[in-house]
Amino acid sequence: MFCFQCEQTAKGTGCEKGGVCGKPPEVAVLQDLLVHALKGYSGTVLAARRMGLDDSGAGPFTVRALFATLTNVNFDPARIAALVRECAARRDALREKILGAGGTPPEGKAFSFAPADTMEGLVRQGEEVGIPTAASLDLNIRSLRELLTYGLKGVAAYADNARILGREDDAVYGFCHDGLAATLDESLGVPDLLGLVLKCGEINLRAMEILDAAHTETYGHPVPTRVPLGTRPGKAILVSGHDLKDIEEILRLSAGKGIDVYTHGEMLPAHGYPGLKKYPHLYGHYGTAWQNQHREFAAFPGAILMTTNCIQKPREEYADRIFTTGAVGWPGIPHLDRESFSAVIDKALSLPGFTEETGEKSVTVGFGRNAVLSVAGAVLEAVKAGKIRHFFLVGGCDGARPGRSYYTEFVEKAPADTVILTLACGKFRFFDRELGDIGGIPRLLDVGQCNDAYSAVKIAQALAEAFGVGVNELPLSLVLSWYEQKAVAILLTLLHLGIRNIRLGPSLPAFVSPGVLDVLVKDFGLMPITTAEADLAAILN
Ligand code: SF4
Ligand code: SF3
């Protein structure tokens, strides 16, 4: 196996003997085979599209399957193998259609390989189609192909979440096929691939836009909401991940049963949505970010549902009370569709739950674009009066590396006349800090999940318009943390929007070659984080 798609990759170069994430070599190569199959399928979809042939559900399937290969999503070899087989069957059906209509389907391994009958055979096939070694391919081409593939994985995750809430866009699906097929196209050079990478950022903005519409039209615009961080006596369910439809279903099924529902990780922003906060048993937030789940899930005395990333290998202490749904999977852990969530309710009822009240702390969530822009006038006045000197967007993923304490330090050391917008799970390093307010405007504004980067972009664009300047001229700096491929897609979106001087950490992606990095630095001013003090000084001076 060789995998270097996430920030915690072994030695900062690549996982070769098993993933730092817990992905065994067998699953890693099956995922390689699935990505390979999806590339061949995408090329076939493009050929069918050119002939005006119906590709019957290619878009939804592609994003669902690609999502399964994102970091910390699906570790179940049987489900990855099933997706490989489905992908090849769909591709072959489409090839037949093309032939039947007098066309010529594309040729090559990815377009015609037959999945082996056994798991061992599939693993062998996967070993042959992994990421090429540096020696066998131009490093910059490899880097851009992988950057495009990982960006597409992020797009797929958001498009799949939006699809679940009934929002789809053929332009998003179409580009997933264009992009995946392009990674097989030997004729594409660095400039072509760079163009596709930025196009991926544009499409990701659209994917986040339809997801934002799906969330706000289904559950209303988030409103500032106090969320307890403690617990109260009663049976309990913990919902982690990003999928609001799943927590809604859990809330609906558990209503009136004496069960409290707690959010974990990226589910925290659920509390701000009117359509979800109307359930009085959506009680509080338990724990922090994904990398602390072993400790936090083990201590949670109720049922646990993982809706999307990031799952880690379940520990024995809670393996009998955790469930997965949607794209997520772990072998041996019950995987439920939404129709069978009653199993989660039954499990919660069979467990002791919390016996006492704990903790008095709380945090405020719900500062999406609607809430922030409703006070845009006051923000503008505060900036003009010199009360707000600068805005920081300190957002992105969390992870286990010690270098991530930079973000906590950055927020703690940011001067009192600065405002911090945050989003995604990286915020758990500072989300409960009392930073006070500036004339009633809280200094720490939680915009939401990682996909709510869309909301942050809208806020920045509206502020730029109000000031009559471009986003790059605003007193705003982006200090981002990345871990998995949704963050890659968001970074590409920001680059597509022409946003410059982004600081990125805790380390730069291993899959970005020196040549590609050079372009990102020269054309976009992208820079690595250094120390909180030095970066604050550089920005504010
Ligand atoms: Fe390693 Fe990350 Fe790949 Fe897991 S997803 S195998 S940790 S690079
Ligand atoms: Fe976090 Fe996995 Fe990226 Fe949604 S939950 S941001 S890492």
Side-chain angles (χ1 to χ4, degrees), residues 73-89:
V73 171
N74 194 336
F75 294 81
D76 188 341
R79 277 178 55 208
I80 304 290
L83 286 168
V84 171
R85 293 188 202 289
E86 182 177 349
C87 188

Side-chain angles (χ1 to χ4, degrees), residues 486-502:
K486 291 195 249 185
V488 174
I490 292 170
L491 181 66
L492 297 182
T493 295
L494 298 172
L495 299 182
H496 149 72
L497 290 169
I499 295 175
R500 294 184 56 82
N501 302 330
I502 296 170

Side-chain angles (χ1 to χ4, degrees), residues 1 3-6 8-9 15 19-21 23 71:
M1 71 168 283
C3 181
F4 61 175
Q5 67 173 355
C6 83
Q8 69 176 358
T9 195
C15 294
V20 175
C21 60
K23 187 162 72 175
T71 298

Side-chain angles (χ1 to χ4, degrees), residues 192-232:
D192 309 301
L193 289 167
L194 266 173
L196 284 164
V197 155
L198 292 180
K199 178 77 185 172
C200 183
E202 180 185 344
I203 290 294
N204 186 55
L205 183 63
R206 177 66 187 145
M208 291 192 298
E209 182 183 9
I210 59 172
L211 181 54
D212 175 277
H215 284 162
T216 54
E217 283 166 20
T218 312
Y219 305 114
H221 278 278
V223 291
T225 304
R226 279 314 262 180
V227 182
L229 297 178
T231 62
R232 67 181 179 191

Side-chain angles (χ1 to χ4, degrees), residues 1-10 13-16 18-24 28 31 69-72 75 150 153 482-485 510:
M1 71 168 283
F2 180 78
C3 181
F4 61 175
Q5 67 173 355
C6 83
E7 196 275 335
Q8 69 176 358
T9 195
T13 53
C15 294
E16 298 183 56
V20 175
C21 60
K23 187 162 72 175
Q31 290 189 356
T69 69
L70 204 105
T71 298
N72 285 358
F75 294 81
Y150 304 151
K153 290 188 185 197
W482 83 285
Y483 169 60
E484 35 76 8
Q485 299 78 49

